[in-house]
Amino acid sequence: MDGTSKLLVASNRGPLTLSRGEDGREVVSRGGGGLVQGMSSAMASVDGVWVCSALNDYERLVSRRAPGGRLPRADADDGDLDVRMLPIDATTFARAYNGIANSTLWFVNHLLYDIPTKPVFDFGWRRQWRSYEDYNDAFAVALDEEAAEGATVVVQDYHLVLAPRLLRERRPDLRIGHFMHTPWAPPENYSMLPDDVARDVLAGILGADHAGFLCDRWAEAFLECCVTLLGATVDGRTVTYRGRCTEVGVHRLGTDGPALHERAHRGDVETQMGHLRELAGDRRIIARVDRTELSKNIVRGLMAYREVLRTYPEWHDRVMHVAYAYPSRHDLPEYREYTASVQRLAREIDDEFAEGDWKPVHLTVTDDFAGSLAAFRLAEVLVVNPIRDGMNLVAKEGPVLSEPGCALVLSREAGAADELGPDALVVNPYDVTQTATAIHAALSMPAGERAARSQRLARAATALPPAMWFEEQLTALRRP
Ligand code: G6P
């Protein structure tokens, strides 16, 4: 039976996170991460349904009880958006999200495997894969229920690569888009996946009419995989597979300048700026803000800062590295270990260089959004050095908010390097010495040049705000 919605979005994490506070009352917060941030802003004034998964026991309980799985409207900012949360059972969810999405597809596309020992695709992994299929199927069923005849459905990211095809089989009438927020691996890395799975993933996305990526490089890698592993025909950016055509498009996601400004000038951010100013004194701030995420390369970033202090002693007592690494995916042991190694290295740097009231590193590993915005506002240097990153919005937010104007040290492996490269100090993320040299150059840059570059970076960063990014995709999807 057809539903009533003309526009639907599907993603693992929804716009709201629900939990039960210590006093037993419900706590509602915004979902975190790049996807939710971009999508929430894009959907703010849109009439549609956002289908997402329940992510914890409390959300499962609430969504099971809610009529039609619909959450009550959170606040007036959300326009006419309805949220339908799927109470996928805890085991299926954990195997799909932790086992396949975050430990397999994320690792393959970000080239994170330590290959002498990983990955291992065995019996246990196959069980996870079946859960991933079930999880994707649950989305296809819900989208089928919600979508009106001929509706537009935009499916998001690596959690839901099978959903476009599963939905297409149920509903040939729909216009379906898929958008990847991560990089895509070249065929020689992507083909580490079991052959049948590698093909199912590609064929899953090709169930869509339009497949979107954040930059040319990821789109090209996807096309190469379609040819090499699936035997599909590619003509320009049109893929033909089993008689169906999918258009591949590149849609760069930027930041919403005015909204970011407004949020970064609220009282909680001013308070955090006061704390940071007290800690830093008149020392210059080198900032970084990331999820504590393996691909963000925080450890090599700290190594580069240590090398700056070892090689250029003139910066002693004149700089402070403010690093916000907010917690992420702590169900995975690799992430817990990574957080510990970030903390260990920050302590080692302090042990080696701290003197008097100078603490060279100020590391925060708790979720402190206001603190991160305060760090952006005060930063003279911003370090963004991922091993590989779909886009990286931090590289865009920093220059928009920095008051002194910030020099951006940016990995060439971030999608954002395409747009920001000309005004950034671009580095190879594995080359610690080059990164250290770039941080030194950033600190040494004349203030006028730094401010001029920062302004140009901010202009490039805000050129395609989320609402335009989303509109572009819808336009591409509506093209016959
Ligand atoms: C990346 C992904 C997003 C995801 C975010 C946070 O940006 O591309 O899809 O929202 O990480 O990940 P999480 O696992 O916390 O939802």
Side-chain angles (χ1 to χ4, degrees):
M1 194 186 69
D2 291 352
T4 53
S5 186
K6 300 294 284 176
L7 177 64
L8 301 98
V9 170
S11 67
N12 172 63
R13 190 178 289 278
L16 304 171
T17 300
L18 310 180
S19 56
R20 214 195 283 276
E22 275 168 18
D23 59 0
R25 275 197 281 180
E26 179 170 290
V27 180
V28 182
S29 52
R30 291 249 159 213
L35 183 157
V36 166
Q37 213 179 311
M39 214 60 222
S40 300
S41 166
M43 295 288 283
S45 53
V46 167
D47 184 356
V49 177
W50 188 329
V51 179
C52 60
S53 174
L55 305 179
N56 58 41
D57 286 339
Y58 182 68
E59 288 189 347
R60 276 184 279 275
L61 188 78
V62 170
S63 52
R64 251 183 230 118
R65 285 185 186 157
R70 295 288 173 99
L71 298 189
R73 295 273 169 75
D75 59 51
D77 286 357
D78 283 333
D80 284 324
L81 185 67
D82 278 314
V83 178
R84 172 159 174 195
M85 197 177 254
L86 307 181
I88 294 168
D89 76 83
T91 307
T92 304
F93 175 77
R95 287 179 181 157
Y97 175 70
N98 291 324
I100 302 300
N102 287 342
S103 299
T104 305
L105 299 177
W106 181 270
F107 271 57
V108 164
N109 282 324
H110 288 85
L111 315 183
L112 293 179
Y113 281 126
D114 191 6
I115 49 175
T117 53
K118 285 180 183 153
V120 175
F121 299 119
D122 57 3
F123 175 81
W125 186 86
R126 282 284 164 181
R127 198 171 51 192
Q128 294 176 337
W129 177 251
R130 282 195 297 278
S131 292
Y132 184 80
E133 291 174 319
D134 293 343
Y135 163 98
N136 271 259
D137 199 50
F139 272 81
V141 170
L143 291 164
D144 177 11
E145 283 167 11
E146 299 285 346
E149 171 76 23
T152 300
V153 182
V154 193
V155 178
Q156 304 293 310
D157 231 354
Y158 61 101
H159 313 89
L160 290 171
V161 291
L162 305 180
R165 177 156 166 236
L166 294 169
L167 181 57
R168 168 76 56 212
E169 283 164 4
R170 293 171 167 268
R171 294 288 300 274
D173 59 299
L174 301 178
R175 293 298 286 169
I176 304 175
H178 184 271
F179 195 87
M180 271 301 276
H181 292 256
T182 73
W184 194 273
E188 56 275 28
N189 299 84
Y190 181 76
S191 59
M192 288 168 90
L193 292 174
D195 295 350
D196 59 322
V197 168
R199 283 195 298 270
D200 284 355
V201 168
L202 295 167
I205 293 179
L206 294 179
D209 299 292
H210 182 266
F213 292 87
L214 285 165
C215 71
D216 290 322
R217 202 170 148 203
W218 316 142
E220 293 302 329
F222 175 76
L223 291 170
E224 280 175 45
C225 287
C226 288
V227 173
T228 318
L229 289 125
L230 211 52
T233 311
V234 171
D235 179 11
R237 287 205 163 151
T238 307
V239 188
T240 308
Y241 179 63
R242 296 198 170 150
R244 282 203 75 256
C245 289
T246 303
E247 287 302 321
V248 171
V250 172
H251 306 287
R252 298 178 173 86
L253 175 60
T255 188
D256 181 341
L260 184 62
H261 250 273
E262 187 278 319
R263 178 63 191 89
H265 285 78
R266 290 192 199 161
D268 54 348
V269 180
E270 303 287 346
T271 307
Q272 291 304 322
M273 282 177 78
H275 289 323
L276 287 178
R277 278 204 194 99
E278 219 168 281
L279 277 170
D282 56 6
R283 298 178 191 101
R284 301 170 65 189
I285 290 185
I286 304 169
R288 72 172 304 136
V289 175
D290 312 89
R291 285 188 299 114
T292 313
E293 160 59 55
L294 276 62
S295 64
K296 302 293 181 189
N297 207 20
I298 305 171
V299 170
R300 285 194 194 84
L302 287 175
M303 285 175 169
Y305 176 61
R306 179 173 62 188
E307 199 157 311
V308 169
L309 299 180
R310 285 182 178 166
T311 318
Y312 308 100
E314 63 266 35
W315 297 119
H316 288 194
D317 204 15
R318 292 179 55 206
V319 295
M320 186 169 89
H321 192 12
V322 175
Y324 282 91
Y326 58 95
S328 179
R329 305 184 190 167
H330 268 212
D331 285 343
L332 301 183
E334 288 95 333
Y335 283 66
R336 294 197 296 271
E337 283 155 23
Y338 193 69
T339 307
S341 54
V342 167
Q343 289 174 299
R344 205 161 41 237
L345 184 51
R347 266 196 309 273
E348 281 171 23
I349 297 173
D350 270 343
D351 287 347
E352 189 172 338
F353 297 102
E355 250 186 71
D357 70 344
W358 180 45
K359 208 175 156 320
V361 184
H362 176 67
L363 171 70
T364 306
V365 294
T366 50
D367 195 351
D368 185 350
F369 187 48
S372 315
L373 294 175
F376 285 144
R377 283 181 61 184
L378 294 171
E380 287 191 34
V381 177
L382 179 67
V383 181
V384 179
N385 65 324
I387 288 169
R388 220 168 144 79
D389 210 331
M391 173 54 71
N392 196 296
L393 285 180
V394 166
K396 297 193 164 179
E397 291 162 349
V400 171
L401 291 181
S402 165
E403 288 168 10
C406 69
L408 175 64
V409 175
L410 179 62
S411 165
R412 65 186 184 198
E413 305 300 327
D418 277 7
E419 296 144 84
L420 306 182
D423 282 300
L425 297 155
V426 177
V427 297
N428 167 353
Y430 305 100
D431 189 339
V432 168
T433 299
Q434 188 195 32
T435 309
T437 309
I439 295 174
H440 171 66
L443 287 166
S444 311
M445 192 181 281
E449 181 187 345
R450 202 181 64 222
R453 283 194 193 220
S454 189
Q455 269 177 20
R456 287 195 295 269
L457 288 168
R459 256 201 306 279
T462 49
L464 266 180
M468 273 169 77
W469 161 80
F470 191 55
E471 197 45 52
E472 258 192 27
Q473 287 175 65
L474 295 183
T475 307
L477 250 180
R478 284 182 195 126
R479 270 196 296 267

